[in-house]
Amino acid sequence: MPKPPITSSLPIGTRLAISVAVLLGLLLAVATVSLSRIEGISAVTRSIVEQQAARLTLAQDANRHAQAAATRLFQLLITFDREQRIPIYTIMDGELAGADEAVEALGKHELSPAERGHLERIVALRERYDELFRETVEQVEMDGPGSAREHFTFHTQPVLSDFLKETSAFAADQQQTMRDCLQSLDEQAARARLLVILLGLVTLLVGSASAWAIARSITVPVGEAVRVAQAIAEGKLDQQVPPGGSDETGQLLRSLETMRDSIASREEKILRLAYQDTLTGLPNRTRFLETCASLPSAGCAVALLDIDRFALINNALGHPVGDRLLCEIAPRLAAGTPPLAMARLWGDQFAFLLDCADRETAAAFAEATLERLCAPISVDGQRLDVAGSLGIALCPADGDEVATLLRRAELAMKTAKRRRSRYAFAGDCGSEPTHEHLSLIGEMREALARREFEVFYQPKYLLGESRTAAAEALLRWRHPDKGLVPPGRFIPFAEQTGFIAEITPWLLDEVIGHADAWRKKGLVIVPSVNLSTLDLLNPQLVGHIAGLLERHGLPANGLCLEITESALMEEPELALKHLDQLAALGTKLSIDDYGTGQASLAYLKTLPVNELKIDRTFIAGVHATPKNAAIVRSTILLSHELGLAVVAEGAEETAELDWLREARCDLVQGYVIAKPMPQGDFLNWLDAAR
Ligand code: C2E
Ligand code: CA
Ligand code: CA
């Protein structure tokens, strides 16, 4: 992983400030150097102008004055008239004084030793020339210009010429010095220019380098941040975030890291919430379905467990106890040989995906699971005996899709509950709706509106009095294409789809209406109506029946309701509550299909029922089957003890009828008496029987 540059430990603002300060410093240095160089050059220029130029002028002055004096002297030498010479003297004096002044002034200048020697020579020559000049003048005045000319030519003029040469040389020297100075100035200026250019270049380089470094120290981590953010956006949450410095980009990278971590943890939490049952910590339905989506091709099984009487525990002890019970149950279920998958689907339902497709292994799993479940559990100091019912659907025998397998396992579980057989295989619990069933399901609602449903009655014959005292109302569907459809082909699906909740009220209305009409004709026959599980759990049922009875003016004991044990098993406490309300209303209650379930008579005794209908399977051939005969006989005896009337269902033979009469069975309902028939036929049949 690349180390962050040192610069990135500084905040970006500081970095920018430092680089700007460095640049400004360099610019200041350039300006200072330029200024000082310009100053130096101007000082030198000033010194040249003030010193050298002044000396040069003075030397030239001295030379000019000396020449002028010499010119006057020449003039003097050719002027013979004394009067005319006087003004010349005056001019000469002035010129000489000027030369003196110039020389004197030169002496006051700061001179180099060489210049000073030069000047001393000029002064000496000037003095000598002065002397000789005066001698020449004296000779002019004393001997006349002619003889003085000789003195001038041989003495004064050579000195004058030396003096002039010297002053000229001095002036030339000064000129040379000035040229030298100017040259050195030129050189200095060139050096200063070079320095300024160099400094400018350095400034440019340093500025560019620091701008580049700063730009990089920002763009590199920002680029990293962009890459990381894109990766996070694509869901790559394992993305490494490079370590940043202590500056803003570092903070940005660290914030991204924090953001990535919190997204990851939230995602994990969401996944957990989406896939885990929050109460028990087991996988949930979604997870289960997902795991099962890739079912092993070799074959497997789906098992569904439902806790028995869980609703009762929930209602009696409260939902918190129910919840804790589920939490206690979950680890027990998970304790055995681990299934391929396990989940709490909802409420008290648990599902298992088993790595087997044969009945033996699945049965062993069911036995072991239910065994682990049944050890008593203590919740809040309350000892609870828990039991469950398991339904097993095998793949591919019962289906090859998880939804089908779960549905079949649920049906099997309900069958197991109904039969109190602890567990059941879907294969043993009837088939799935066929294509024909599905089309019937779709047509049911319209059929009710089109009044295609019809009530058939089958007499319940009172053996002791040899008369029909009651009749069971059995539903038929007069289908326009399929003809008369028996209830077995559509009632189970009407129950599964909930449509039964519409059919039963209609049927009750019809039946109560018929019974009332019979009474008005003097026929006191108690019709019985079958109630399904859904009907029995319907909170409006009792109120609806009471309303119908009142509307038709039928006494409540003029109606009987048939209930199966399995209908009582689904939600026992609610079913029992409704049963009590119906009993309080005064309707007769009958236990249907007795013997197919696990209910004991001792249990039935606690129910407010009046009648027990022994299932057809026990009645068929009862006279010739000692085992059935024994069961039926003892059931009749016990029922009488408990004050229940007994109905034998499905008697087809006269021999059976005779046997039942002898066994003191109260009522018989079967083909031997009459098959179910439409109301009109039933009334005719009653007439004929009388
Ligand atoms: P179930 O309540 O046990 O009704 C008795 C069934 O036994 C009737 O069949 C009846 O025709 C038949 N049965 C009567 N005597 C004999 C006999 O001697 N031999 C034979 N083999 N069968 C006999 P059905 O009418 O086909 O009804 C079947 C089931 O459909 C009923 O069983 C009941 O569970 C259900 N069912 C019928 N009508 C209704 C209804 O209106 N509502 C509800 N919820 N279920 C109904
Ligand atoms: Ca019945
Ligand atoms: Ca029955």
Side-chain angles (χ1 to χ4, degrees):
M1 210 170 296
K3 274 185 92 171
I6 303 157
T7 43
S8 60
S9 61
L10 297 173
I12 292 170
T14 313
R15 256 178 275 163
L16 286 172
I18 287 175
S19 86
V20 168
V22 166
L23 273 177
L24 285 177
L26 284 165
L27 284 173
L28 202 69
V30 173
T32 311
V33 166
S34 310
L35 276 176
S36 86
R37 293 295 148 138
I38 288 167
E39 208 132 274
I41 290 166
S42 70
V44 172
T45 312
R46 230 181 0 257
S47 112
I48 290 169
V49 170
E50 285 172 5
Q51 301 287 317
Q52 246 92 25
R55 273 179 256 164
L56 175 65
T57 311
L58 286 174
Q60 281 171 341
D61 277 356
N63 185 289
R64 186 169 43 82
H65 285 299
Q67 266 189 19
T71 309
R72 294 297 160 195
L73 191 58
F74 263 124
Q75 199 181 356
L76 204 70
L77 290 176
I78 56 169
T79 307
F80 292 91
D81 183 0
R82 199 172 179 277
E83 285 304 309
Q84 281 177 352
R85 288 204 299 267
I86 288 167
I88 294 172
Y89 282 130
T90 316
I91 296 167
M92 274 174 52
D93 281 345
E95 294 297 346
L96 284 174
D100 282 346
E101 249 172 58
V103 173
E104 209 172 306
L106 266 177
K108 286 179 187 158
H109 275 256
E110 219 174 273
L111 298 172
S112 65
E115 284 173 328
R116 178 100 11 231
H118 212 151
L119 186 66
E120 276 165 10
R121 274 201 305 283
I122 287 173
V123 170
L125 281 171
R126 166 71 190 97
E127 278 168 2
R128 180 78 189 118
Y129 170 64
D130 213 27
E131 255 170 55
L132 291 170
F133 183 84
R134 283 191 204 289
E135 281 173 17
T136 307
V137 170
E138 273 169 23
Q139 273 198 357
V140 168
E141 287 307 319
M142 281 187 330
D143 305 325
S147 59
R149 209 176 293 156
E150 208 173 306
H151 182 269
F152 173 76
T153 307
F154 294 106
H155 300 284
T156 314
Q157 199 177 19
V159 174
L160 172 67
S161 125
D162 283 350
F163 176 74
L164 289 177
K165 266 191 228 152
E166 277 298 328
T167 48
S168 295
F170 190 85
D173 273 0
Q174 289 304 314
Q175 264 179 337
Q176 186 57 45
T177 310
M178 268 175 82
R179 267 197 297 276
D180 289 350
C181 271
L182 284 172
Q183 195 181 340
S184 106
L185 266 179
D186 262 354
E187 283 165 9
Q188 270 183 41
R191 272 201 301 279
R193 203 166 37 241
L194 195 69
L195 190 65
V196 168
I197 287 169
L198 270 176
L199 275 172
L201 279 176
V202 168
T203 307
L204 192 73
L205 273 175
V206 170
S208 312
S210 65
W212 179 82
I214 288 171
R216 249 186 82 78
S217 74
I218 296 166
T219 53
V220 170
V222 165
E224 285 289 338
V226 168
R227 188 180 55 75
V228 170
Q230 276 169 349
I232 292 173
E234 284 163 16
K236 295 176 194 154
L237 295 179
D238 54 347
Q239 189 65 38
Q240 281 295 328
V241 180
S246 57
D247 66 340
E248 293 87 339
T249 54
Q251 286 164 17
L252 175 68
L253 286 169
R254 279 188 294 283
S255 304
L256 272 176
E257 195 165 26
T258 315
M259 185 179 94
R260 182 206 60 189
D261 291 349
S262 62
I263 288 177
S265 87
R266 246 173 288 167
E267 199 164 86
E268 195 193 304
K269 198 173 164 191
I270 289 168
L271 273 182
R272 211 173 41 242
L273 284 176
Y275 284 129
Q276 204 180 51
D277 169 42
T278 42
L279 180 69
T280 59
L282 290 177
N284 63 10
R285 185 185 190 90
T286 314
R287 183 100 200 122
F288 188 77
L289 293 180
E290 250 177 44
T291 312
C292 295
S294 50
L295 283 181
S297 54
C300 61
V302 167
L304 197 87
L305 172 81
D306 189 281
I307 307 301
D308 292 343
R309 298 177 295 113
F310 186 73
L312 189 74
I313 294 169
N314 246 348
N315 289 350
L317 304 175
H319 285 259
V321 173
D323 283 354
R324 246 164 302 150
L325 181 66
L326 290 174
C327 292
E328 292 282 334
I329 286 171
R332 285 190 182 193
L333 297 178
T337 325
L340 290 176
M342 174 186 171
R344 175 177 169 232
L345 297 188
W346 61 276
D348 59 341
Q349 274 194 9
F350 297 86
F352 307 85
L353 176 66
L354 309 179
D355 186 14
C356 63
D358 62 299
R359 289 174 72 103
E360 288 71 39
T361 334
F365 172 81
E367 296 272 7
T369 306
L370 293 167
E371 194 57 43
R372 279 199 307 280
L373 195 64
C374 71
I377 293 178
S378 169
V379 177
D380 284 357
Q382 302 225 36
R383 205 188 106 118
L384 297 170
D385 286 306
V386 185
S389 301
L390 244 158
I392 302 159
L394 302 173
C395 172
D398 298 316
D400 50 11
E401 275 182 2
V402 61
T404 316
L405 290 170
L406 267 178
R407 199 173 58 240
R408 304 278 287 129
E410 189 176 356
L411 280 174
M413 180 273 289
K414 284 187 176 160
T415 308
K417 237 182 227 284
R418 208 164 40 236
R419 295 181 189 158
R420 302 196 158 204
S421 60
R422 302 179 75 219
Y423 64 91
F425 283 93
D428 304 339
C429 306
S431 52
E432 286 271 275
T434 61
H435 187 69
E436 190 223 348
H437 288 141
L438 290 174
S439 87
L440 282 177
I441 291 170
E443 286 176 83
M444 275 193 293
R445 188 158 279 114
E446 275 180 51
L448 189 61
R450 289 201 301 251
R451 302 195 64 83
E452 283 171 17
F453 289 113
E454 196 179 329
V455 191
F456 274 39
Y457 289 97
Q458 188 180 31
K460 280 163 117 178
Y461 190 75
L462 199 56
L463 283 171
E465 297 175 25
S466 297
R467 67 173 177 98
T468 299
E472 180 173 7
L474 293 159
L475 192 63
R476 298 289 182 268
W477 180 352
R478 220 177 267 284
H479 195 278
D481 308 322
K482 296 186 172 76
L484 206 60
V485 183
R489 271 168 62 192
F490 63 91
I491 290 278
F493 306 114
E495 286 177 359
Q496 278 172 27
T497 57
F499 184 61
I500 196 80
E502 289 176 48
I503 297 184
T504 308
W506 171 84
L507 189 99
L508 280 165
D509 195 6
E510 290 275 306
V511 171
I512 293 171
H514 289 161
D516 184 49
W518 301 338
R519 275 186 187 238
K520 288 192 174 121
K521 284 193 222 164
L523 267 175
V524 180
I525 288 180
V526 178
S528 61
V529 170
N530 292 285
L531 291 186
S532 73
T533 312
L534 222 60
D535 295 322
L536 200 58
L537 300 178
N538 182 355
Q540 276 132 36
L541 174 84
V542 183
H544 185 75
I545 291 175
L548 285 175
L549 290 172
E550 201 182 318
R551 180 150 66 83
H552 290 284
L554 187 76
N557 66 1
L559 178 72
C560 178
L561 299 164
E562 293 188 11
I563 295 125
T564 58
E565 276 173 53
S566 58
L568 286 168
M569 289 296 102
E570 210 100 315
E571 274 195 54
E573 59 287 11
L574 187 62
L576 206 65
K577 185 179 136 195
H578 291 159
L579 225 54
D580 282 332
Q581 289 173 347
L582 287 170
L585 192 66
T587 58
K588 292 195 163 162
L589 295 171
S590 174
I591 293 292
D592 204 358
D593 299 346
Y594 177 74
T596 54
Q598 307 287 311
S600 64
L601 269 175
Y603 166 69
L604 295 176
K605 195 190 87 172
T606 64
L607 303 175
V609 293
N610 315 87
E611 186 183 87
L612 195 76
K613 294 182 82 177
I614 301 175
D615 193 68
R616 206 169 69 219
T617 46
F618 297 94
I619 303 304
V622 68
H623 59 287
T625 323
K627 205 175 153 198
N628 279 359
I631 292 170
V632 174
R633 203 188 300 278
S634 60
T635 305
I636 295 170
L637 279 171
L638 259 170
S639 299
H640 287 164
E641 286 285 305
L642 298 170
L644 296 172
V646 179
V647 182
E649 265 195 311
E652 293 186 1
E653 315 270 331
T654 338
E656 290 159 8
L657 190 69
D658 293 342
W659 187 94
L660 287 164
R661 186 177 282 121
E662 203 195 303
R664 300 177 56 77
C665 181
D666 303 287
L667 294 138
V668 171
Q669 179 189 346
Y671 293 174
V672 73
I673 306 295
K675 286 195 171 184
M677 53 203 135
Q679 196 211 181
D681 295 359
F682 174 59
L683 292 175
N684 292 339
W685 178 85
L686 279 177
D687 264 347
R690 259 189 286 168

